[in-house]
Amino acid sequence: MENTVAMGTLDAEYKISLASIHPFLVTCAKLSEEETSSVNVPLLKRLRPNPCEGVKTRFVLEIVRLCEAMKERVLVFSQYLEPLSLIMDQLSKMFNWTEGKEILLMSGNVLVKNREALMVAFNDMKSDAKVMLASTKACCEGITLIGASRVVLLDVVWNPSVGRQAIGRAYRIGQEKIVYTYNLITEGTKEKDKYDRQARKDHMSKLLFSKESQTAGLNLSQEVIFDDKIMEAMTSHGKLKDMFVKILHSH
């Protein structure tokens, strides 16, 4: 009975995570009869090519657009492959980019020997790479992605170390740029509560195991936030600022 409840909870969280990124992704999940009857699948399939139909895919589109203009590279993480595939298709259509050139995909389906080539291409600032779409499970220790100066976390996960490990792919030895991280949370879902619990767990971990200075970290955070020109541009743009209900700063 407990296993059934646990599986049901995980299934619900999976569907919420997908829907919070883009409504089409709901069709990628196994729906119950009741859910199927309430979902307009043909309509959702028509929405698929348009990133602006999903608040998180819209954010990714705009930050990639702005980063390209500023010669910066974006690293997008998800624990699920469906959002990464969708975003790759959307970026390909919007910018006429191709996988393996401007868009790089690192997932568990990529052979280990080929991941090295992807790392080299992404970190080489002379290459055509613009964005790396990466699975959090595939990007474990040993993966270095210092070509990125912007890291986008599409999912809210229970374990804070998962997010830290993802961010750590860009924030490694050899990184000479400030790395900005965006943890996306969709209003009207349980993601905010999940994020708050994750933050409390992470804070408790720091209290127990870390000797870092909270005051020093706060000062650095304020300085970096002020210097985030891309976020400043997005939140002040008349057609983009409606995406944001609230911005939670952390360090």
Side-chain angles (χ1 to χ4, degrees), residues 220-237:
L220 175 61
S221 176
Q222 290 173 340
E223 178 183 346
V224 171
I225 290 165
F226 179 78
D227 196 41
D228 190 345
K229 301 301 183 184
I230 285 183
M231 182 56 65
E232 182 180 331
M234 292 179 74
T235 54
S236 61
H237 193 287

Side-chain angles (χ1 to χ4, degrees), residues 92-110:
S92 297
K93 179 168 290 187
M94 296 296 293
F95 299 112
N96 196 28
W97 289 348
T98 57
E99 181 186 0
K101 190 177 180 182
E102 293 89 357
I103 307 171
L104 304 180
L105 176 64
M106 186 177 293
S107 69
N109 296 328
V110 177

Side-chain angles (χ1 to χ4, degrees), residues 73 100 104 116-125 127-129:
R73 293 182 178 180
L104 304 180
E116 180 69 29
L118 290 174
M119 284 194 295
V120 171
F122 189 69
N123 294 332
D124 179 5
M125 300 312 291
S127 75
D128 294 318

